[in-house]
């Protein structure tokens, strides 16, 4: 039995949210289907934000419905507040991620809330979910996604004590899970190991996800650092799509195909067929002509020595 690792494809949310062009719903669904064929089963499919703020996500409910129609999928969505979470719940999200900034400056600049106000909003979302369950509704998992946990483009350093305290506050507010995000690609493996160890001491198994950007080339190194600590759920985006709004041209999330290649080569079970995933990457390149993609394995090809255990 190989050790299973879950990959959450976040390209449809994190990758697309900073693109200027609005990708048609049909193209998003073709992308989803291609990765589903490759064995990907978890998708952060959309963000429930006002369409006026982010026209790219105006079709969030339709994309969630499309993802749910694919057998075995687990659909994550992002919601910045109670209103968004209500829409995410109504659309049938299995996991709703509430982003909370560990950096007070980023929190105020990005969502115009202090960290305390964000935790209060999270508590309201958890209560709304519980009410919905009592009424026979859908039991979505609520994750607190701690953004800028490793540093911030506005205030620079984010004190680790504050990240740990924010995680504790989120769990007290009712979050089922906390996950740390290196939103701007500042983290290094030693820092990642240190902070995950500290948060794990207070959150235990409720610390699961890891969201690394490859902005400065350390994305996979950071994944390795937390694999050793027992973390088994990772966000990534096909083709490393996305970027950093503060660093034009910078690469985005860890590339799904590179992450899957590393994990499968090491003997972990991602459930993913690498060749089919590379085909999905080619489809994405066709959907977004001219868009730089950042992964390595699609360009280099799989090594001749690579044997995909999934299809062995
Ligand atoms: Zn991100």
């Amino acid at each position: 039995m190989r050790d299973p690792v879950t990959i959450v494809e976040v390209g449809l949310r994190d990758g697309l949210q900073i693109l200027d062009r609005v990708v048609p719903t049909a193209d998003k669904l073709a992308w989803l289907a291609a990765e589903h064929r490759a064995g990907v089963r978890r998708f952060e499919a959309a963000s429930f934000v006002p369409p006026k703020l982010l026209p790219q996500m105006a079709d969030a409910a339709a994309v969630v419905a499309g993802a749910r129609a694919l057998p075995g999928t687990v659909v994550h969505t992002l919601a910045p507040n109670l209103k968004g979470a209500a829409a995410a719940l109504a659309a049938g999200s299995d996991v709703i991620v509430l982003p909370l900034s560990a950096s007070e400056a980023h929190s105020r600049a990005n969502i115009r809330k202090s960290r305390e106000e964000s935790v209060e909003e999270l508590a309201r979302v958890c209560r709304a979910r519980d009410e919905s369950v009592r009424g026979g509704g859908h039991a979505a998992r609520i994750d607190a996604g701690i953004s800028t946990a490793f540093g911030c483009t506005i205030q620079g350093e984010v004190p680790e004590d504050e990240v740990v305290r924010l995680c504790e506050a989120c769990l007290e507010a009712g979050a089922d899970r906390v996950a740390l995000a290196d939103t701007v690609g500042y983290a290094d493996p030693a820092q990642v190991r240190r902070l995950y160890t500290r948060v794990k001491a207070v959150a235990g198994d409720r610390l699961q996800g890891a969201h690394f950007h490859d902005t400065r080339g350390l994305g996979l190194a950071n994944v390795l650092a937390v694999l050793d600590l027992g973390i088994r759920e990772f966000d990534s985006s096909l083709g490393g799509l996305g970027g950093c709004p503060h660093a034009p041209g910078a690469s985005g999330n860890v590339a799904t195909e590179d992450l899957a290649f590393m994990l499968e080569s090491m003997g972990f079970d991602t459930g993913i067929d690498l060749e089919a995933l590379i085909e999905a990457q080619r489809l994405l390149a066709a959907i977004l002509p001219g868009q730089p993609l950042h992964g390595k394995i699609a360009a280099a090809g799989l090594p001749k020595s690579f044997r995909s255990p999934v299809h062995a």
Side-chain angles (χ1 to χ4, degrees):
M1 280 292 282
R2 293 187 299 138
D3 193 354
V5 176
T6 301
I7 290 181
V8 184
E9 170 59 53
V10 300
L12 289 131
R13 198 279 303 167
D14 207 353
L16 291 182
Q17 74 178 9
I18 70 154
L19 293 195
D20 288 332
R21 69 182 109 176
V22 172
V23 176
T25 310
D27 286 348
K28 294 183 185 179
L29 297 182
W31 172 3
L32 274 164
E35 278 202 72
H36 184 268
R37 275 196 296 280
V40 177
R41 289 295 178 269
R42 281 189 188 252
F43 295 93
E44 191 170 284
S47 181
F48 283 88
V49 290
K52 249 194 285 179
L53 288 182
L54 202 50
Q56 184 71 268
M57 297 294 153
D59 61 354
V63 175
V64 170
R68 280 166 55 83
L70 298 167
T73 50
V74 179
V75 182
H76 298 216
T77 57
L78 199 90
N81 51 33
L82 181 60
K83 197 173 170 210
L89 205 57
S93 308
D94 298 299
V95 177
I96 299 173
V97 183
L98 236 89
L100 293 94
S101 272
S103 149
E104 183 71 16
H106 183 268
S107 187
R108 288 186 183 279
N110 209 38
I111 48 176
R112 289 175 212 88
K113 279 194 187 97
S114 71
R115 286 172 295 186
E116 286 71 24
E117 287 166 331
S118 289
V119 172
E120 285 163 19
E121 192 76 5
L122 170 67
R124 280 191 282 273
V125 168
C126 294
R127 284 197 294 273
R129 185 272 316 269
D130 295 346
E131 240 165 68
S132 154
V133 171
R134 275 194 296 276
H138 191 60
R141 188 180 96 193
I142 309 287
D143 288 8
I146 310 298
S147 59
T148 62
F150 302 92
C152 157
T153 47
I154 306 169
Q155 73 175 48
E157 196 186 326
V158 175
E160 290 181 3
D161 287 349
E162 295 181 19
V163 179
V164 176
R165 268 203 299 278
L166 180 60
C167 289
E168 283 180 299
C170 288
L171 293 169
E172 277 164 28
D176 298 304
R177 294 271 198 99
V178 288
L180 303 182
D182 182 23
T183 315
V184 292
Y186 277 16
D188 69 77
Q191 179 192 18
V192 161
R193 184 185 300 273
R194 200 167 58 235
L195 191 54
Y196 265 82
T197 301
R198 289 194 61 187
V199 174
K200 207 173 164 68
V202 298
D205 288 342
R206 291 205 281 167
L207 171 66
Q208 257 307 326
H211 180 104
F212 296 125
H213 281 238
D214 199 36
T215 322
R216 292 171 180 81
L218 297 186
L220 287 179
N222 291 332
V223 168
L224 279 181
V226 292
L227 255 181
D228 288 347
L229 300 176
I231 299 297
R232 292 292 182 267
E233 187 175 310
F234 296 96
D235 290 357
S236 60
S237 72
L238 193 63
L241 188 68
C244 175
H246 307 285
S251 52
N253 294 84
V254 166
T256 304
E257 62 276 26
D258 290 3
L259 175 62
F261 169 63
M262 181 182 80
L263 292 168
E264 288 288 333
S265 298
M266 292 171 71
F268 290 98
D269 183 5
T270 64
I272 290 173
D273 174 338
L274 259 300
E275 275 166 24
L277 190 62
I278 290 168
E279 272 174 43
Q281 192 269 5
R282 304 222 193 289
L283 174 85
L284 179 64
I287 287 172
L288 298 171
Q291 177 66 36
L293 298 178
H294 304 286
K296 302 277 190 209
I297 199 68
L302 291 166
K304 279 203 168 132
S305 57
F306 181 79
R307 295 276 177 277
S308 176
V310 176
H311 290 270

